[in-house]
Amino acid sequence: MTRFITFSSGKGGVGKTTLAVNLSAALHKYGKDIVLVDGNVSTPNVSVLLGMPKLPITLHDVLANKAKLEQSIYLHPSGFKVLPAGLSMKYDKVKRKKEIAHVMNELLGKTEFALIDCAAGLGDEAKQSLQAGDELVIVTNPEIHALTDALKAHEYAKKIGIHTLGVILNRVNNKDWEMTQGNVEEFLELPVIGMVPEDENVKRAISMKKPLVHLYPKSPASRAIKRIAARLAGEDYRTIEPETFGERVLRFFGFE
């Protein structure tokens, strides 16, 4: 059975797309069959982050009934598959005859995981991506304005009957002005399923258009992302990745 997981932020700029790309790479590393779907059809970024900007057939063509689904899925060198949205301005004028949910129905049974990168906000496009998933992961920063928008996404998911798995706190600096994990869980009434620290290697990987988890597998953000991927896959992270000294210390004191 295919798991359709939508990644939403409610707010742009929190690092959601970068996280979806790296979770796809990490899940593939753990032996899972993945299709990463760029559900942000107006301002897509997945193919840019992966160094695949010029592709002949995209999700836009499938939505317009001008191509079949299998023609628009590409194998990235990292090993996972990508269903990109088109970057060209010509796609702005394409009349869509399908919704993303219809395209996801065509993926059913053809992959283990379909990760849908949702457009920011709660406009019609974002709502289509939310409706296309069975599960939701909210990506946010530990700041009150980001959490307020994340709450709106969670409330909409509840309204349409989508199960929210939890929250990923991204770009965590552990500053005294940031919301703590407990604050976030109380505010959103959701569990925090992962915390990804601020890490300069993320920007380096973006500039090189490659997944962080491949370029810098031992970096703090990379290890945090792989821990989240293991959780989504139902695997024990410690049996897959050797623990660092710091992780052993944290586990000893009950922080992991």
Side-chain angles (χ1 to χ4, degrees):
M1 181 64 72
T2 302
R3 289 181 64 184
F4 294 94
I5 306 177
T6 300
F7 288 79
S8 174
S9 58
K11 176 186 178 298
V14 302
K16 167 183 54 61
T17 302
T18 301
L19 195 58
V21 164
N22 280 282
L23 283 170
S24 297
L27 283 165
H28 171 74
K29 182 177 183 292
Y30 296 155
K32 305 302 179 182
D33 188 41
I34 306 294
V35 176
L36 174 60
V37 181
D38 195 340
N40 188 353
V41 293
S42 295
T43 54
N45 283 304
V46 167
S47 59
V48 175
L49 289 179
L50 290 170
M52 311 167 66
K54 296 181 180 180
L55 298 169
I57 300 173
T58 70
L59 174 61
H60 281 88
D61 298 297
V62 180
L63 293 173
N65 251 352
K66 293 182 177 180
K68 294 182 179 179
L69 174 64
E70 54 268 26
Q71 294 175 295
S72 64
I73 296 177
Y74 299 84
L75 183 64
H76 187 262
S78 299
F80 63 92
K81 289 169 284 189
V82 183
L83 174 50
L87 296 173
S88 174
M89 293 290 287
K90 70 179 183 180
Y91 287 120
D92 293 343
K93 300 177 182 179
V94 169
K95 186 175 181 180
R96 300 171 199 167
K97 296 183 179 180
K98 293 181 181 179
E99 293 187 356
I100 294 176
H102 298 145
V103 178
M104 294 304 96
N105 284 339
E106 295 178 41
L107 265 180
L108 187 64
K110 297 177 181 177
T111 184
E112 289 181 82
F113 287 84
L115 305 189
I116 307 167
D117 182 44
C118 181
L122 273 180
D124 289 341
E125 186 176 316
K127 288 179 177 178
Q128 281 196 34
S129 291
L130 286 165
Q131 293 163 7
D134 297 320
E135 302 169 286
L136 171 65
V137 171
I138 293 175
V139 181
T140 187
N141 301 143
E143 301 163 6
I144 187 62
H145 61 287
L147 291 172
T148 301
D149 290 333
L151 179 60
K152 295 175 184 176
H154 176 44
E155 290 298 323
Y156 180 75
K158 286 197 295 185
K159 180 180 177 181
I160 62 174
I162 302 300
H163 173 59
T164 303
L165 294 172
V167 183
I168 298 174
L169 288 179
N170 197 33
R171 305 188 67 177
V172 176
N173 286 288
N174 292 317
K175 301 294 185 181
D176 56 8
W177 46 263
E178 290 182 332
M179 302 280 280
T180 66
Q181 177 176 341
N183 293 152
V184 172
E185 291 180 332
E186 182 178 3
F187 183 77
L188 295 178
E189 297 183 341
L190 288 168
V192 171
I193 61 173
M195 299 175 67
V196 182
E198 184 72 76
D199 188 341
E200 289 185 357
N201 291 306
V202 174
K203 292 182 180 179
R204 293 191 181 99
I206 290 173
S207 70
M208 297 173 71
K209 299 179 176 63
K210 294 181 180 179
L212 171 78
V213 295
H214 288 302
L215 278 178
Y216 305 104
K218 295 183 180 180
S219 69
S222 184
R223 296 188 73 89
I225 290 168
K226 288 188 286 185
R227 192 178 294 111
I228 297 167
R231 182 169 182 169
L232 290 176
E235 304 284 351
D236 184 348
Y237 173 75
R238 292 190 294 269
T239 66
I240 303 172
E241 300 279 348
E243 282 186 304
T244 65
F245 174 76
E247 287 172 331
R248 288 198 299 273
V249 171
L250 287 172
R251 180 165 55 83
F252 179 81
F253 287 104
F255 291 103
E256 289 194 338

